[in-house]
Amino acid sequence: MSTRSLKRRLIVGFGANTFSRLSITLTQIFSVPVFLSHWGVHLYGEWILLNTIPSYLGLSDVGFGSVAGNEMTMLAAAQDFDQALVVFQSVWVLTTVITSLLGLLLIATVWVLPLGTWLHMHAISASDARLIVLLLGLAVLLGMQETLFQAAFRCVGKYPLGTMAKSLVVLGAFLSTMVGVALHQSPVVVTVLYVATNAVGVFALWILLRREVPWIQFGIRHAQWDVIRRLSGPALSFMALPLVNALNLQGILVVIGWVMGPIAVVSFNTARTISRSAAQGMNLINNSIWPEMSAAFGVGAMDIARMLHRRACQISLVLCLGITLGVALLGDWIWRIWTVGKVPTDPVLLYIMLLQMVVSAFWFTSAVVPLAINQHQKMARAMLIATCLALVLAWFLMHVSTLGLRGAAIALVLEDLFAATYILRDSLRLLGDNLGDFARSMVDVSLLQRLWRRPKLPLGNEE
C-alpha cells in the first residue's frame, strides 16, 4: 500500500519528466557546436547519416513495452503481483527473442551491403561505417530492454526514479561522446564510448530495478503465450500513433511542397513551430499522470481517475490559452527575428495555427485515458483515418485562391476538432464522466484543492 500521497507522486513525476526533457534538449543544443568545431561539417554529417539507420530498429518494439507497463501498473495497483510478473516475463521473453534475431540480421546485413558506397561516404571508410552502424544498432536493440525496465518502475509508483535514472544514462552517454570528440577521437572510438556508456547504464538500471522491485524476476518460468497474444492488439495499435504524428508533422509538409513549393513549406513550418510552444508542457503533464491513471483504473478508483483527467485538461487548456495569447501578441515579432527577416510573415496563418493548438489541448491530454488502460485501438484507427483525410482536404483547400497556404492550416484545425470530439467523448465514457460536469470543471478553480484531499491511491508495493 502506498504511503506517499497522490500530490507528491504527481509533483515528483512532473519534476522527473522536466529533468528528462531538459537533458534531451541540452544534449541537442550543445552537441552541434562541439561536433562542428572538432569534426567539421562533412564528418559530422556522415556520422549523423549513419545514426539514422539504426534508429529504425526501435520500431521493432511494436509498443509491447508501453502496453506491458499499463497492464503491470493496473495489476500491481490491485496487489496482483503474480500476474504482473507473468506479464513482465512474457514481454521480456518476446523482446529478447526479437532483439536477438534482429541483432543477427543486423550483423549479416551490415557485412553484406555496401553501406559506404550507397551513402556516398568519404570522411568515414566503408569498414568503419559498417562497424559504426553495427554498434549503434546493438545500442538501439539494448535500449528496448530499458522500455520494459521503465514499465516495471512505473507499475509500483517509482516512475520518477526510473525516469531520472534513464536521464542520467542519457547525460552520461552524451558527456562520454563529447569527451571523445573534444579529444579528436575517430568516429569509431566515439561510437564505442557512446555504446559502452549505454551498456553500463542498462546494467545499472537492471541492478536498480532488482533492488527497488524485488518481486521482478528475469526468466521464462512465468512467461505465457496467451499473455503475448492478448497484448498484441493494443501493442500493434500503438504503431499507428507514431505514424499519425509523422503524417501530421512531415506528411503535411510534403503536400504543401507538392502544391505550393518549398517557400510555402518554410512559411508553414515556421508558423507551426512558433504556435506549438505549449506542446512540450502538455507532454510533461501527460507523462506525469499516465501511471497514476493506470493505477486508478487498476483499483477501480474512478473518482480519482476523473479528477486526474479534469485537472490535467484544465491545466493544459490554461497553459495553451496563456501561451497562445502571448504568441498572438508577439508572434509577428518572433517570426521576423527568428527568420532574420528572410521569411515573409503571415499573421492570419499564425492565428489559425494557434487555434489548432488550443483545440488540440483537449484531445491530446484526454488521449492519456485510453492509452493508459490499453483501450486505444479504436482511437488509433480513427486518428489515422482523420489524418489521411486532413491531408487530402489540405490539398483541395490550398487550390482555393483565397486560401492558399492557410487552407492547409484550416484542414489541420478541422482534424483536431474531430479528434477532440471523438477522443474526449471516448475518454468520458471510459471514466464514467459526462460532458456537462467536465465542462463545468474547466472553470472550477477549486478543483486542485479537492484533488489533493482525495484518499491516497495504492500503487503496488511502493515504499
Side-chain angles (χ1 to χ4, degrees):
M1 181 69 67
S2 171
T3 59
R4 292 195 298 171
S5 69
L6 177 60
K7 174 182 177 180
R8 183 184 175 190
R9 286 203 302 267
L10 287 172
I11 293 175
V12 174
F14 187 84
N17 279 300
T18 301
F19 179 76
S20 176
R21 178 53 54 185
L22 286 176
S23 300
I24 296 174
T25 301
L26 289 176
T27 60
Q28 293 172 339
I29 292 175
F30 289 106
S31 62
V32 174
V34 174
F35 274 113
L36 292 176
S37 61
H38 291 86
W39 277 7
V41 177
H42 294 293
L43 181 57
Y44 180 42
E46 292 186 4
W47 196 75
I48 290 178
L49 187 59
L50 292 176
N51 263 274
T52 60
I53 299 174
S55 63
Y56 291 100
L57 291 173
L59 296 175
S60 58
D61 178 56
V62 199
F64 272 101
S66 300
V67 170
N70 293 337
E71 189 83 0
M72 291 169 62
T73 301
M74 290 186 283
L75 290 168
Q79 306 294 303
D80 191 353
F81 301 114
D82 291 339
Q83 190 60 30
L85 179 59
V86 169
V87 173
F88 179 84
Q89 287 200 358
S90 299
V91 176
W92 180 77
V93 169
L94 178 66
T95 301
T96 302
V97 170
I98 291 176
T99 53
S100 299
L101 293 176
L102 286 176
L104 294 175
L105 179 62
L106 177 66
I107 293 173
T109 302
V110 164
W111 249 257
V112 170
L113 298 179
L115 294 177
T117 302
W118 285 3
L119 299 176
H120 305 288
M121 294 283 141
H122 300 290
I124 300 177
S125 67
S127 59
D128 285 352
R130 291 193 185 96
L131 184 57
I132 290 171
V133 171
L134 176 61
L135 289 173
L136 292 175
L138 294 178
V140 170
L141 295 176
L142 187 63
M144 288 175 60
Q145 297 285 336
E146 289 183 19
T147 304
L148 196 55
F149 292 177
Q150 294 300 326
F153 282 116
R154 176 153 64 97
C155 77
V156 293
K158 296 184 178 180
Y159 166 75
L161 177 62
T163 300
M164 289 290 291
K166 171 58 179 174
S167 299
L168 292 176
V169 174
V170 171
L171 285 175
F174 167 72
L175 291 175
S176 65
T177 301
M178 293 299 96
V179 169
V181 174
L183 294 176
H184 302 282
Q185 296 298 312
S186 68
V188 171
V189 174
V190 170
T191 303
V192 170
L193 289 173
Y194 173 80
V195 175
T197 305
N198 274 286
V200 172
V202 171
F203 182 68
L205 282 172
W206 176 76
I207 294 176
L208 181 64
L209 177 62
R210 293 289 296 121
R211 190 189 72 178
E212 296 294 328
V213 194
W215 55 267
I216 287 291
Q217 302 172 13
F218 291 84
I220 62 175
R221 178 183 176 186
H222 301 283
Q224 295 180 7
W225 173 249
D226 288 342
V227 172
I228 296 175
R229 186 170 54 188
R230 177 169 55 82
L231 296 179
S232 295
L236 291 173
S237 294
F238 258 104
M239 290 296 293
L241 301 178
L243 178 57
V244 167
N245 190 53
L247 289 174
N248 268 313
L249 294 179
Q250 305 300 328
I252 189 67
L253 297 182
V254 173
V255 175
I256 292 172
W258 181 17
V259 177
M260 301 188 65
I263 296 178
V265 170
V266 175
S267 296
F268 185 88
N269 196 54
T270 301
R272 182 174 62 183
T273 303
I274 295 173
S275 68
R276 287 177 57 85
S277 307
Q280 294 301 330
M282 289 195 296
N283 268 317
L284 293 177
I285 295 170
N286 287 6
N287 291 338
S288 300
I289 70 168
W290 190 314
E292 301 294 341
M293 190 66 71
S294 298
F297 270 88
V299 296
M302 301 309 298
D303 58 337
I304 293 181
R306 284 189 289 271
M307 194 65 73
L308 280 170
H309 176 248
R310 292 177 182 182
R311 185 55 183 169
C313 288
Q314 189 182 45
I315 294 174
S316 293
L317 182 59
V318 171
L319 177 68
C320 280
L321 288 175
I323 293 178
T324 296
L325 179 61
V327 174
L329 295 174
L330 303 174
D332 191 63
W333 175 78
I334 295 173
W335 192 321
R336 290 198 305 271
I337 297 299
W338 191 34
T339 61
V340 200
K342 294 184 177 181
V343 179
T345 61
D346 186 346
V348 176
L349 175 64
L350 181 59
Y351 294 153
I352 297 174
M353 298 301 293
L354 288 173
L355 175 61
Q356 183 206 2
M357 197 71 235
V358 173
V359 175
S360 69
F362 285 103
W363 75 259
F364 191 77
T365 303
S366 283
V368 171
V369 177
L371 287 170
I373 59 174
N374 293 337
Q375 297 292 325
H376 56 275
Q377 294 92 321
K378 292 182 179 180
M379 180 189 75
R381 289 195 295 269
M383 286 296 297
L384 184 58
I385 294 173
T387 301
C388 293
L389 291 176
L391 296 181
V392 175
L393 180 61
W395 186 89
F396 280 106
L397 292 179
M398 281 188 289
H399 282 88
V400 178
S401 58
T402 55
L403 293 178
L405 186 58
R406 298 168 186 172
I410 292 173
L412 294 184
V413 172
L414 294 176
E415 177 195 354
D416 276 318
L417 281 172
F418 166 80
T421 303
Y422 183 92
I423 295 175
L424 182 58
R425 183 180 61 183
D426 190 43
S427 296
L428 293 178
R429 177 185 61 81
L430 292 170
L431 291 163
D433 205 348
N434 65 79
L435 185 59
D437 290 342
F438 173 81
R440 284 188 290 273
S441 73
M442 292 299 98
V443 294
D444 184 359
V445 295
S446 66
L447 189 60
L448 178 61
Q449 184 180 2
R450 294 205 307 273
L451 172 62
W452 298 153
R453 289 204 298 262
R454 292 287 173 175
K456 295 176 182 179
L457 177 66
L459 250 179
N461 62 345
E462 180 192 24
E463 298 174 356

